[in-house]
Amino acid sequence: MKGQGSAKERAAILIEALPYIRAFFGKTIVIKYGGHAMVDPALKEAFAQDVVLMKYVGINPIIVHGGGPQISRVMERMGIRPVFVEGQRVTDEETMSVVEMVLVGTVNKDIVGLINRHGGRAVGLSGRDGDLIQAEKMKIYRYSGQDRPPEIIDIGRVGKVSRVNPQVLQSLEEGGFIPVIAPVGVGPEGVAYNINADLVAGAVAGELLAEKVIYLTDVAGVCDETGRLIPSLSLQEVEDLLQAGVAKGGMIPKLKSARKALTRGVKKAHIIDGRVPHALILEIFTDQGVGTEIIP
């Protein structure tokens, strides 16, 4: 009887997933991969398994990854002190070389290898490949007083997305591949730019009219001023959180990215706890999900 009960539970889990598999079959889901899920060996394995499962049931996952801590560690070993302004890494020529070396040459290849080892067919990309992520220089404004003009701070080769070339990704999806994107963009003169991975994920999702964009993070989701998890948010409520200053730190670019993606036509955004094993499939294929969903 014990085995029979266990079999029934497994069957119930599969049946619960069925309507979601049917709803998302053939759809594109963009995943921002970052935080603890990129560091913990068990979580890395679980992430790769989730992505491969998604592909095998007919979903088209696209991965956009971060790598800030890895960049900082390499810089420190090279004797370069990381500097941040308004949460953005100051990126001179030397730092940009390190960014590309770490994100494209190490982190991206590790993720591709991990997914392929679990039976997927992943392909690593930089935003410079095929002009995938076209960028322009980001300007940082610092306000020092109501009657004073803002100070413009030059933080070097830090960019924002101006355009996404969808043909590269569409061709890979049609061939059955899983794109894995390093958040490096290319400017009009062929200059490389370091771009926040959250912003790249939102821009990619918006360009492809993805079904969902999902951000893996190191907190339970979006929380209110008392620290309580907010299971669901509308775009207006996202705006209210940003205006009130409730959202802080790394949550700000995620919310801004989600807001932009939804206004471009993406159906839902999710900010979920990447510290939970198999957080992706729990969010996509179960009734309860994990974290916070954002809807138009």
Side-chain angles (χ1 to χ4, degrees):
M1 294 296 293
K2 181 179 179 181
Q4 184 179 4
S6 177
K8 286 182 178 179
E9 290 171 3
R10 290 196 296 271
I13 292 169
L14 292 171
I15 293 300
E16 182 181 347
L18 179 59
Y20 299 103
I21 294 172
R22 185 168 56 239
F24 302 141
F25 183 85
K27 303 294 178 60
T28 295
I29 295 180
V30 178
I31 303 155
K32 182 329 188 68
Y33 181 39
H36 203 63
M38 283 183 67
V39 178
D40 182 274
L43 292 176
K44 288 166 65 175
E45 296 288 333
F47 172 80
Q49 291 168 346
D50 289 359
V51 169
V52 172
L53 174 63
M54 290 168 64
K55 191 67 175 177
Y56 272 103
V57 298
I59 297 171
N60 296 316
I62 295 176
I63 316 303
V64 178
H65 65 82
Q70 294 92 325
I71 293 168
S72 294
R73 285 197 295 270
V74 172
M75 288 180 66
E76 288 164 359
R77 287 202 299 267
M78 296 174 67
I80 307 169
R81 185 172 66 89
V83 178
F84 293 86
V85 173
E86 306 290 334
Q88 299 285 343
R89 185 187 303 274
V90 176
T91 308
D92 57 15
E93 296 286 337
E94 188 177 24
T95 301
M96 190 67 226
S97 296
V98 176
V99 167
E100 285 203 90
M101 177 181 70
V102 174
L103 290 182
V104 181
T106 302
V107 176
N108 188 275
K109 293 184 184 304
D110 287 348
I111 297 167
V112 167
L114 190 62
I115 293 172
N116 290 344
R117 199 159 63 244
H118 283 278
R121 293 202 299 160
V123 174
L125 297 165
S126 159
R128 301 179 76 176
D129 294 324
D131 283 347
L132 172 60
I133 308 296
Q134 297 171 34
E136 58 189 53
K137 187 178 176 68
M138 177 182 283
K139 295 178 181 177
I140 297 291
Y141 298 92
R142 179 176 289 166
Y143 295 87
S144 55
Q146 189 173 6
D147 299 325
R148 297 182 181 180
E151 176 188 3
I152 301 176
I153 304 171
D154 187 352
I155 54 174
R157 300 257 290 272
V158 175
K160 59 182 181 179
V161 179
S162 59
R163 185 176 179 275
V164 175
N165 178 2
Q167 294 178 334
V168 178
L169 301 174
Q170 289 165 348
S171 296
L172 288 171
E173 283 189 339
E174 289 167 5
F177 295 99
I178 301 169
V180 180
I181 305 169
V184 174
V186 59
E189 305 300 322
V191 174
Y193 283 99
N194 179 20
I195 308 178
N196 181 287
D198 294 325
L199 302 182
V200 172
V204 168
E207 182 63 37
L208 295 177
L209 292 178
E211 184 75 11
K212 295 175 180 285
V213 57
I214 300 175
Y215 305 85
L216 292 178
T217 185
D218 284 345
V219 294
V222 183
C223 296
D224 62 18
E225 60 274 10
T226 68
R228 185 176 59 185
L229 177 68
I230 307 173
S232 184
L233 285 168
S234 67
L235 276 178
Q236 183 56 56
E237 289 169 328
V238 167
E239 193 64 38
D240 293 343
L241 286 175
L242 290 168
Q243 291 294 329
V246 175
K248 293 181 173 60
M251 189 57 69
I252 294 173
K254 289 176 177 61
L255 289 174
K256 289 183 175 179
S257 172
R259 179 181 63 187
K260 184 172 183 178
L262 292 175
T263 57
R264 290 285 304 276
V266 176
K267 293 184 179 177
K268 273 190 183 181
H270 302 263
I271 298 175
I272 66 174
D273 192 345
R275 300 169 300 179
V276 176
H278 300 292
L280 275 177
I281 59 172
L282 289 172
E283 182 60 53
I284 296 170
F285 296 130
T286 68
D287 295 335
Q288 294 300 318
V290 291
T292 301
E293 69 170 9
I294 303 171
I295 55 178

